[in-house]
């Protein structure tokens, strides 16, 4: 069964756990198997994937394991996984969560991503992100702006910051897209956990397991 492009439904438990196995999706940033583009060595550097200075990070900034999430604000699976992932990050206490907007579900998704990234210039990124990822219905442009205003974002300043920083914001989105394509992700949400590639939704228990596996892999290097 084919699912709508841009969404990664929850995998079956057998498939999800298979992704967490030692050989299933392990990544070595220096020696990656079967990636899609000749330019991957430039796109998939560890610095750009894990520590892009223009990409927001939440959780523990000094954590020993990094989770990178590619998501779209209009993706129902992204909304479903968001509170559980946040809970796992909070409970663990040693995880960096890197949030990579990947707006692949239309123009409203692109607008939502650009406005949310612009909100960081007034230190409102997290409030904007949580306002948009926390809704249950499909977003429209008026609804996006309503939610951001309701989250305490200064909308007049937001518009100015978006215009002034459009080049930087669009470059972030382009890098996020290039990375997702190079990792051969098929939709949102998709994750890197340590050096494991995890496309699709995981439960809290499965996130906890892949984090533990990532720590073991790190210790065994």
């Amino acid at each position: 069964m084919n699912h709508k492009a841009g969404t990664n439904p929850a995998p079956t438990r057998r498939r999800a756990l298979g992704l967490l196995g030692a050989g299933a999706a392990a990544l070595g940033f220096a020696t990656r198997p079967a990636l899609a583009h000749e330019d991957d060595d430039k796109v998939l550097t560890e610095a750009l994937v894990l520590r892009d200075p223009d990409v927001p990070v939440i959780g523990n900034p000094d954590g020993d394991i990094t989770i990178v999430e590619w998501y779209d604000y209009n993706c129902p699976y992204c909304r479903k996984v968001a509170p559980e992932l946040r809970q796992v990050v909070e409970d663990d206490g040693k995880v960096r969560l890197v949030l990579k907007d990947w707006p692949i579900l239309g123009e409203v998704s692109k607008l939502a991503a650009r406005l949310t990234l612009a909100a960081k210039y007034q230190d409102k990124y997290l409030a904007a992100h949580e306002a948009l990822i926390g809704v249950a219905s499909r977003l429209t442009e008026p609804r996006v702006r309503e939610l951001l205003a309701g989250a305490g974002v200064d909308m007049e300043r937001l518009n100015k910051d978006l215009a002034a920083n459009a080049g930087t914001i669009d470059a972030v989105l382009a890098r996020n897209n290039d990375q997702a394509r190079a990792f051969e992700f098929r939709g949102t949400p998709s994750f890197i956990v340590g050096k494991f590639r995890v496309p699709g939704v995981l439960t809290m228990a499965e996130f906890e397991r892949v984090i533990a596996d990532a720590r073991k892999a790190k210790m065994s290097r």
Side-chain angles (χ1 to χ4, degrees), residues 89-148:
V89 170
E90 183 177 330
D91 290 348
D92 184 281
K94 296 181 181 179
V95 174
R96 296 174 68 245
L97 178 57
V98 179
L99 297 173
K100 299 210 179 209
D101 290 89
W102 189 24
I104 53 177
L105 296 176
E107 292 304 313
V108 173
S109 294
K110 293 176 184 176
L111 175 71
R114 296 179 82 236
L115 287 173
T116 307
L117 287 170
K120 75 176 184 178
Y121 294 99
Q122 53 179 288
D123 295 324
K124 290 287 187 178
Y125 171 82
L126 186 56
H129 173 76
E130 291 186 336
L132 297 189
I133 206 70
V135 297
S137 58
R138 189 165 182 83
L139 294 170
T140 62
E141 180 175 347
R143 181 66 172 144
V144 168
R145 294 185 181 278
E146 178 186 11
L147 288 165
L148 294 180

Side-chain angles (χ1 to χ4, degrees), residues 40-181:
D40 287 342
D41 286 339
K42 298 177 182 177
V43 172
L44 295 181
T45 66
E46 187 165 353
L48 277 179
V49 173
L50 301 184
R51 301 187 183 279
D52 187 327
D54 293 319
V55 171
V57 175
I58 61 176
N60 183 341
D62 299 315
D64 63 336
I65 291 295
T66 297
I67 297 178
V68 187
E69 179 185 9
W70 284 260
Y71 59 89
D72 184 304
Y73 286 114
N74 256 330
C75 165
Y77 303 105
C78 300
R79 296 176 189 145
K80 179 180 178 181
V81 78
E84 294 194 353
L85 177 57
R86 285 295 301 278
Q87 189 64 52
V88 168
V89 170
E90 183 177 330
D91 290 348
D92 184 281
K94 296 181 181 179
V95 174
R96 296 174 68 245
L97 178 57
V98 179
L99 297 173
K100 299 210 179 209
D101 290 89
W102 189 24
I104 53 177
L105 296 176
E107 292 304 313
V108 173
S109 294
K110 293 176 184 176
L111 175 71
R114 296 179 82 236
L115 287 173
T116 307
L117 287 170
K120 75 176 184 178
Y121 294 99
Q122 53 179 288
D123 295 324
K124 290 287 187 178
Y125 171 82
L126 186 56
H129 173 76
E130 291 186 336
L132 297 189
I133 206 70
V135 297
S137 58
R138 189 165 182 83
L139 294 170
T140 62
E141 180 175 347
R143 181 66 172 144
V144 168
R145 294 185 181 278
E146 178 186 11
L147 288 165
L148 294 180
V153 177
D154 180 332
M155 298 305 291
E156 182 177 353
R157 177 174 173 182
L158 185 69
N159 291 331
K160 292 178 180 177
D161 285 338
L162 177 59
N165 299 283
T168 297
I169 290 169
D170 289 345
V172 168
L173 296 177
R175 288 197 297 276
N176 292 353
N177 178 69
D178 288 347
Q179 291 165 9
R181 299 298 183 190

